[in-house]
Structure formats: structure tokens, C-alpha cells
Amino acid sequence: MSGFVYSEKPIRIERGEGPYLYTEDGTEYLDVGASYACTPVGHCHPDVVDAVTEEAKDLFYVQASYPVDSRDKLYNRLAAIAPGSIDNVWLCNSGTEANEAALKFARAATGREKIIATKRGFHGRTMGALATTWKKKYKHYYEPLMDGVEFVDYGDVEQLEEAVDEDTAAMIVEPVQGEGGIYPASAEYVKAAREITEEAGAALIADEIQTGLGRTGKMWACEHAGIVPDILTSAKGIASGLPMGATLVQDWVAENHGNHGSTFSGGPVISAAAAATLDVIVEEDLPSHAAEIGEYLAEELGAKIEADEIDARRVRGKGLMLGIEVKRGSNRLVKNLALKEQVLALPAGRTVLRLLPPLTIDKGHADQLLKSIDSVMGGADQ
Ligand SMILES: *Cc1c(COP(=O)(O)O)cnc(C)c1O
């Protein structure tokens, strides 16, 4: 038997520690993308390992309507970091499920059908979330998908005003588009989205699956615009790479949520991992740290581009969610970084090299990354 969906990379990872991944022969790789924003506190953080180990000895599973300590602890941690008045949470097992629930809750709470999504946006691969995802290449084999989705240009306030009306259940939006190529929305756009949806009685869903948990320099990227969405989704790094998604909702949405459920909703072991992960993020103030290291990286990269030291067009992003735009060949750059420099990065489409390192990286790691980028993207190599 072999897997068939993913093409296998020629690097067999045996273990991870902090920002590094190791092969069996001990080769050390700096992970700035291999774990896809799933390790905000680094690989195998001792506090998370301890929490998981302890909980695994006690309880793997009991149905979610029975209160358990680890889930209660997670609820408390989420309450402490949730933006504004958001005070209800649905736990699930992935990002796409968190968005699937968000769309269902929005439709149930409003009794409306229409969903507004943004061009270039990515919200997951199940049939509902996929319908709100923009790129045809993810969708066309599987149609028909969920009905009722309308796309608008990301950043265009006028189009949004046109699109949102009294039939609109929700607008779903990433405060910084991730898969689409690392495009931060302006604070004005996010504020306008908040006002326009509120005016129309529609829910604003902030998909913070990639941007959340401190990555962009604040706990949640919507905080850069000073707004509180009606629904906020999180996943990826929330349990340090164990599968968990969370849909946080305001009271008015929670009041009439319809009839949703999932066997594994917030299992004890994953909840323990998530609570421990959030503790580290808060205690070490990783959002501020991400802002600082991210700014350093962006400035250094910008200077290199300006001085023609590396062959790239520009650098975009916020905090430790950065994209380096190149003319073409992002996949080749990722490959060269891995094989020549032992740095594992990510593409976002053909023209963006994406960096999503653990938020715990220090200036030394950033310098190692910059040196590797120099060597692979420097004039001589092109
Ligand atoms: C990764 C991602 C998803 C999907 O999460 P999965 O866990 O892969 O289902 C949804 N939205 C955004 C913004 C993402 O980055």
C-alpha cells in the first residue's frame, strides 16, 4: 500500500525540536514552512508533550457533552484570548471543518443563504468550504459544490457594498490571504467589511486559520483593524500540529446554531495539547515576538531586493507570515532551499515563496534563513 494524494519528498523526517526537523542520519533542517503554520511554539515543545502524555494516560475519549478538565482548560484559554465579546466555541478536527461549521452557523443564525467570499481566497477542501475557495484547480473535478456563493475582489469596498444585501448570511474572509499568495488586507477594508455586514444583518467570518495565534504580530490578525468578527475560525497551529479546529462565535450566532455535531469534537488529548500551546503563546508573548522578528526579516529581505542582491520583486506580509514574490519558479526555489541549504519553505502559487516559521524563531534563525535565501536567490544562482 502507498499514499496517493501527496507526492513524496526525498527527505525522511524522523523528529522535530524547536524550529528544526531532523532526518535519521541527523541532518538538521530549518523549518520555515514544512509544518504549515502548525507549530507556533516549535516542534515537540516540552510543555505540549507533557500535557499530551499526561492526558493520554487518563483519557483518550469521552463524548463531548461530558465535561472534562482538559477541554474546560482549553475553553478558559480561548476565552482569555478571544477578540472582544466572542464567548462561544465549537471544536472540531481541521480548518475546513471549522469553516464548514462557520458557514452552517451563519446560515442557521440568519435564516439566509448567500455567502460572500473573496477572489484568491482559500477556506478548505470539503464541499462547503471548497465552494468559498477561489481557485478553480481545487474545485472543478468535484462540482457541483455548495450553492449560493458569490465572489468579490479582495480589497474592493465598493464591490462588497454591492454584493452584501438582505439575503446575505455571511462574508468569509482571510485578514491576510495565505494560499492565495500572502496578501494582507488593509485595515480600512477589514473595517468596511465589518460595517457593511453589520449593517445588512449578515455575519462576518474571519478565517484566521493561517493568520491566527500570533502569527501576524497580534493574537488575531483582525485586531490590526480593531474589529471583532461575528465568527472567527482557527486551526493549523492551535494544538501544535495535532488535528483541531475551532469556530468562535458571538452570542447571537450561538443562539440559533441549527443542528451540528461531530464525534471527535474537542477530544481530551487534543484539548490538552491546545491548552498547553495557547499557554506558551501567551506566556512567552509570541505575538509581539513574531512582530519583531517578522519586521526584521521583511526589512532585510526588502533591502536585499532593493539592492538587487536577490532576484525577487517584493516582499509582502505581516509578522511571521511572509511572501517573497518572484517572477516564476517558486517550486524550484523551495527545492533548492531544501536540498542545498537544508531550509524547508513553502510555495504559494508559482510566484510566491512563503515563510511560516514557528513564532519562537530568534534573530539567529532569521539570519540563517536570510543567508540561505541569499545563496539560493542571489544573482549568481539565477
Ligand atoms: C489551511 C487553511 C484552511 C484549511 O485547513 P485544513 O486544516 O487544511 O482543512 C482554511 N483556511 C485557511 C486560511 C487555511 O490556511
Side-chain angles (χ1 to χ4, degrees):
M1 185 82 81
S2 61
F4 70 97
V5 169
Y6 289 106
S7 60
E8 262 184 25
K9 301 257 188 309
I11 298 167
R12 181 175 287 268
I13 301 299
E14 195 186 48
R15 66 183 188 87
E17 191 181 329
Y20 292 108
L21 288 165
Y22 297 88
T23 54
E24 205 175 16
D25 67 4
T27 309
E28 183 178 82
Y29 289 86
L30 180 65
D31 178 11
V32 297
S35 49
Y36 245 98
C38 287
T39 53
V41 303
H43 288 279
C44 300
H45 191 288
D47 293 2
V48 181
V49 172
D50 284 350
V52 166
T53 312
E54 285 309 306
E55 190 60 38
K57 287 183 202 156
D58 285 342
L59 187 66
F60 271 48
Y61 181 76
V62 64
Q63 202 272 327
S65 52
Y66 295 87
V68 294
D69 283 354
S70 60
R71 196 183 314 107
D72 283 348
K73 191 170 163 188
L74 173 58
Y75 285 162
N76 290 334
R77 300 304 185 272
L78 283 171
I81 62 169
S85 46
I86 296 188
D87 202 24
N88 309 275
V89 61
W90 159 254
L91 296 173
C92 55
N93 315 289
S94 66
T96 198
E97 275 179 73
N99 282 338
E100 206 72 30
L103 298 168
K104 287 173 76 174
F105 294 154
R107 279 189 170 171
T110 59
R112 303 170 178 183
E113 224 172 83
K114 192 160 93 175
I115 307 288
I116 307 298
T118 58
K119 294 179 186 176
R120 276 197 322 245
F122 182 91
H123 302 291
R125 298 172 188 261
T126 49
M127 295 298 231
L130 187 57
T132 65
T133 288
W134 171 246
K135 273 191 193 158
K136 284 278 174 287
K137 71 169 184 179
Y138 300 127
K139 303 199 280 192
H140 72 94
Y141 301 99
Y142 310 122
E143 286 166 345
L145 306 172
M146 179 186 78
D147 224 357
V149 182
E150 206 179 295
F151 288 92
V152 292
D153 283 317
Y154 189 71
D156 188 325
V157 175
E158 260 174 55
Q159 263 189 44
L160 192 59
E161 264 166 351
E162 281 284 300
V164 176
D165 57 24
E166 67 279 8
D167 298 324
T168 306
M171 177 205 191
I172 182 164
V173 66
E174 298 157 89
V176 181
Q177 288 185 322
E179 303 306 301
I182 313 290
Y183 289 95
S186 68
E188 291 70 40
Y189 184 64
V190 177
K191 275 186 202 148
R194 174 64 291 180
E195 279 159 22
I196 292 165
T197 46
E198 189 161 350
E199 187 87 351
L204 177 64
I205 305 171
D207 178 345
E208 296 248 17
I209 290 166
Q210 199 162 141
T211 53
L213 305 168
R215 177 149 303 277
T216 69
K218 292 204 184 282
M219 187 61 78
W220 307 106
C222 61
E223 290 169 15
H224 290 290
I227 64 110
V228 180
D230 302 290
I231 305 179
L232 180 151
T233 54
S234 179
K236 288 208 159 77
I238 192 169
S240 283
L242 294 185
M244 174 172 272
T247 309
L248 279 59
V249 312
Q250 302 252 28
D251 288 345
W252 76 268
V253 179
E255 256 163 46
N256 186 8
H257 53 79
N259 188 342
H260 190 54
S262 170
T263 301
F264 287 135
S265 177
V269 177
I270 315 279
S271 292
T277 302
L278 297 183
D279 275 347
V280 177
I281 292 174
V282 169
E283 280 160 19
E284 297 186 10
D285 193 11
L286 292 182
S288 306
H289 182 71
E292 195 182 310
I293 300 286
E295 192 176 295
Y296 172 68
L297 267 173
E299 274 176 18
E300 292 290 311
L301 287 167
K304 286 178 193 297
I305 294 167
E306 187 82 4
D308 268 338
E309 283 168 29
I310 58 171
D311 191 16
R313 289 182 159 161
R314 58 185 70 81
V315 57
R316 276 197 299 269
K318 261 203 171 87
L320 285 172
M321 181 172 181
L322 292 172
I324 305 171
E325 194 180 308
V326 292
K327 285 187 203 98
R328 70 184 101 79
S330 58
N331 281 302
R332 186 177 53 87
L333 285 172
V334 168
K335 192 170 163 187
N336 287 344
L337 275 170
L339 299 181
K340 295 181 181 167
E341 295 293 319
Q342 288 77 50
V343 168
L344 305 179
L346 270 177
R350 264 194 299 258
T351 57
V352 178
L353 179 71
R354 178 165 38 152
L355 308 173
L356 300 169
L359 309 184
T360 48
I361 62 163
D362 59 25
K363 196 162 162 293
H365 302 120
D367 285 334
Q368 181 187 347
L369 171 60
L370 289 166
K371 197 159 152 276
S372 297
I373 286 175
D374 253 346
S375 126
V376 165
M377 300 177 74
D381 201 66
Q382 296 295 304

